[in-house]
Amino acid sequence: MAVKVREHWGSKIGVVLATAGNAVGLGNLLRFPSKVALYGGGAFIVPYLISLTLLGLPLMWVEWMAGRYGGIRGHGSTVGILGVITRGNVLARLLGIFGVAAPILIVFYYIYIESWTLGFALHSLFGKMPTPVATTETSEALKPFTEFLKNYTAPSLEAYIIFWITLFLNWIVLHRGIRRGIELAAKVGMPALFLMGIMLMVVIFTSSGHNPEWSAIKGLEYIWKPNFSRIFDGKVWVEAAGQIFFTLSLGMGAIAVYASYVKEDEDIVLTGLATTSINEFVEVIIGSAIAIPAAFLFFGPESIRELAEAGTFRLGFMSMPAVLISLPLGFFWSFLWFMLLFIAAFTSSIALIQPMIAFLEDELNISHGRAVSISMITVIIGAHLAIFIPGYIDELDFWAGSFMLIFFGILEIIFFVWLFGPNNFIDELNKGASIKVPKWVAYITGTITLAFLIFILVIWLAQNLSVMINQKGTGIWLARITIIVFVLILAALTVATTKRNSD
């Protein structure tokens, strides 16, 4: 079978920004500060940085290598890439389904949350957000914003309309393809994200709060002062490693798909390093220098854990607008904050939909326009279940947003390092590289990183599985049925196309 001619990224800066946009999302700006606050600041940062070194960068290189290797041979989805690695083995191709199913299932609920950020940005711009209560009591100060979020996400008619606008924007960019759609969006969106983030950092650190002893600098100190008190706490390690996995979009198939559109001589070692570095800059510099310092400045150190325990949305959708709107030009700063979140979420959602598009194009030979339409219609159906069925989101997030990612990360190392061969892995990774990765990295990845992932999966399942399995409810069972049916459909399509695509 002739290798299909695939579209390539237009420029090196384009692929770096697009892949960084894939990784940079709500996890950087909301989930990261919430986890830091919940697990004691510096006590979380130590295992986080170790996880970045042992887990994040090695897996990033694994996915870059696999993606380029498959892309050269006409396959961008993990179904096709695993088939190429194993010469058309049907079981391997079936396991590759996780790299197609997980991201699209995540988008079912992620895209609705993404639409909230756009809605809140528009409310801020037109001065329609609540007015903060002038008090240092956290719950009272946030009460108007708590009610606003609850009413908006009920969902309201307005939220539903903006959800459709968000869907339309994703559809348009994906329909325009790699160069004229995704790459162009990244070239505009990522610089805008950096600029907005830096402006908000400046605003926070030049503002004064209710108490002169509460300062934004102390908020940074809370985050970055080393604390080894929980170094042997397995839960903190699982959360830190899970954050690395989530923030770098690992185990989702999205990095591999983006990597499949690079040219054969592309320096993927440097590109993978640049992608990781940009993502970490947004997370540990911008992400850590806005939400927690702002809460520290206006609500004091005692409020930090309380805000984190109330969940990610409380920090991002309640405390941040309450802080920013209380400043001069506050509605503009609130608009900037939510636009920052929207751009981060938007560049991630288009990346998470792309694996299914690549699967339909490469494995079923469906045209790009039809592949985008089928993918987006799938998202629309799933998103409506997430919006209107209580309990659906949490169950979907448990299996697709957690279990599948870690499980598929383990499979990636087994297939792309051990079955492909450590020497082949390093040789393929180093093609076109200006900085050569030593061979021992393959063995570290195949042993320590693999063991680390298995440890995370075992501990995480021990903590959560029995509770989740015993939960009942229409939304929970509907989410499970959704996952099973979707995976079975992908499996049937994969089996049907295995022989044709094994040549």
Side-chain angles (χ1 to χ4, degrees):
M1 179 179 176
V3 175
K4 182 180 178 180
V5 177
R6 294 171 58 78
E7 186 178 7
H8 293 302
W9 300 105
S11 64
K12 289 186 177 181
I13 188 65
V15 65
V16 170
L17 289 177
T19 314
N22 168 14
V24 172
L26 296 179
N28 300 72
L29 301 167
L30 294 184
R31 195 175 189 269
F32 174 73
S34 292
K35 294 297 181 185
V36 170
L38 189 61
Y39 292 102
F44 179 84
I45 290 296
V46 173
Y48 173 87
L49 293 177
I50 294 173
S51 298
L52 174 63
T53 304
L54 296 180
L55 178 62
L57 187 56
L59 262 178
M60 179 66 73
W61 278 335
V62 167
E63 296 203 10
W64 270 101
M65 185 285 299
R68 185 180 66 176
Y69 186 84
I72 293 168
R73 292 156 179 82
H75 299 276
S77 74
T78 51
V79 171
I81 295 169
L82 283 173
V84 168
I85 291 285
T86 61
R87 298 185 179 182
N89 182 277
V90 66
L91 177 59
R93 283 171 58 82
L94 285 171
L95 289 172
I97 286 171
F98 286 101
V100 177
I104 207 77
L105 291 169
I106 291 170
V107 173
F108 285 0
Y109 58 90
Y110 190 90
I111 202 164
Y112 183 47
I113 299 169
E114 176 186 328
S115 74
W116 299 355
T117 64
L118 179 59
F120 275 51
L122 295 174
H123 272 87
S124 300
L125 183 63
F126 294 106
K128 301 297 184 181
M129 290 291 284
T131 302
V133 177
T135 176
T136 56
E137 179 63 36
T138 305
S139 59
E140 283 300 311
L142 300 185
K143 189 173 182 180
F145 297 91
T146 304
E147 290 299 316
F148 184 79
L149 178 65
K150 180 180 178 182
N151 293 333
Y152 182 87
T153 59
S156 62
L157 176 61
E158 184 179 12
Y160 188 63
I161 291 171
I162 293 175
F163 161 70
W164 274 98
I165 293 172
T166 305
L167 282 170
F168 179 74
L169 292 173
N170 277 264
W171 199 321
I172 290 298
V173 169
L174 289 166
H175 185 76
R176 288 173 60 87
I178 294 300
R179 288 193 185 186
R180 296 187 306 116
I182 296 173
E183 184 174 343
L184 181 60
K187 284 182 174 179
V188 174
M190 291 305 291
L193 184 148
F194 293 134
L195 180 61
M196 291 177 186
I198 291 168
M199 288 176 67
L200 286 169
M201 287 167 57
V202 172
V203 168
I204 294 298
F205 280 88
T206 56
S207 299
S208 56
H210 302 295
N211 187 327
E213 294 185 2
W214 301 347
S215 69
I217 292 293
K218 288 187 177 179
L220 276 185
E221 182 182 324
Y222 167 81
I223 298 170
W224 290 105
K225 185 177 180 180
N227 182 343
F228 297 94
S229 62
R230 303 186 70 174
I231 196 70
F232 297 110
D233 188 332
K235 187 176 176 106
V236 176
W237 279 96
V238 168
E239 292 288 357
Q243 175 61 23
I244 291 295
F245 224 81
F246 192 86
T247 188
L248 290 174
S249 294
L250 300 173
M252 299 182 186
I255 295 290
V257 169
Y258 273 23
S260 73
Y261 299 108
V262 302
K263 297 177 182 177
E264 188 170 0
D265 60 350
E266 183 76 38
D267 186 346
I268 59 173
V269 172
L270 193 58
T271 306
L273 185 60
T275 301
T276 305
S277 300
I278 292 172
N279 179 81
E280 290 307 304
F281 175 83
V282 173
E283 182 148 299
V284 304
I285 303 299
I286 296 178
S288 68
I290 297 179
I292 290 181
F296 219 95
L297 182 65
F298 280 81
F299 301 118
E302 299 302 321
S303 70
I304 301 300
R305 185 172 179 84
E306 176 190 342
L307 289 169
E309 286 177 342
T312 298
F313 295 147
R314 186 177 177 88
L315 190 63
F317 287 90
M318 300 175 205
S319 69
M320 277 303 295
V323 168
L324 296 171
I325 291 172
S326 66
L327 301 174
L329 301 176
F331 284 101
F332 173 74
W333 301 126
S334 180
F335 164 74
L336 218 59
W337 166 247
F338 286 112
M339 278 306 296
L340 175 68
L341 295 182
F342 175 70
I343 291 172
F346 182 73
T347 54
S348 293
S349 63
I350 57 178
L352 292 172
I353 299 169
Q354 188 62 30
M356 183 169 175
I357 295 172
F359 171 77
L360 295 173
E361 288 180 333
D362 299 338
E363 308 309 312
L364 276 69
N365 288 329
I366 292 176
S367 68
H368 176 71
R370 287 185 61 199
V372 171
S373 296
I374 293 169
S375 300
M376 289 306 301
I377 290 169
T378 304
V379 169
I380 290 169
I381 295 170
H384 276 80
L385 294 173
I387 292 170
F388 293 107
I389 306 297
Y392 188 86
I393 290 179
D394 290 339
E395 187 70 12
L396 213 59
D397 184 58
F398 176 83
W399 293 108
S402 299
F403 172 78
M404 284 188 185
L405 306 188
I406 302 172
F407 178 70
F408 193 65
I410 293 170
L411 291 181
E412 286 181 318
I413 294 176
I414 292 172
F415 277 95
F416 300 138
V417 176
W418 290 117
L419 293 184
F420 188 53
N423 290 336
N424 291 334
F425 165 68
I426 289 296
D427 290 343
E428 187 64 34
L429 181 64
N430 282 331
K431 282 184 181 178
S434 54
I435 303 173
K436 303 295 184 182
V437 175
K439 286 188 177 181
W440 56 262
V441 170
Y443 293 98
I444 293 295
T445 304
T447 54
I448 295 177
T449 304
L450 180 60
F452 198 180
L453 274 175
I454 294 171
F455 166 77
I456 294 168
L457 184 62
V458 170
I459 297 296
W460 179 80
L461 286 173
Q463 293 173 345
N464 299 287
L465 186 60
S466 62
V467 175
M468 295 302 294
I469 287 177
N470 292 325
Q471 286 185 331
K472 301 291 187 292
T474 302
I476 291 169
W477 282 109
L478 192 56
R480 293 171 183 172
I481 292 169
T482 300
I483 294 168
I484 293 169
V485 169
F486 188 57
V487 168
L488 287 176
I489 291 171
L490 291 176
L493 293 172
T494 298
V495 170
T497 59
T498 294
K499 187 177 186 304
R500 186 185 69 197
N501 290 291
S502 62
D503 298 329

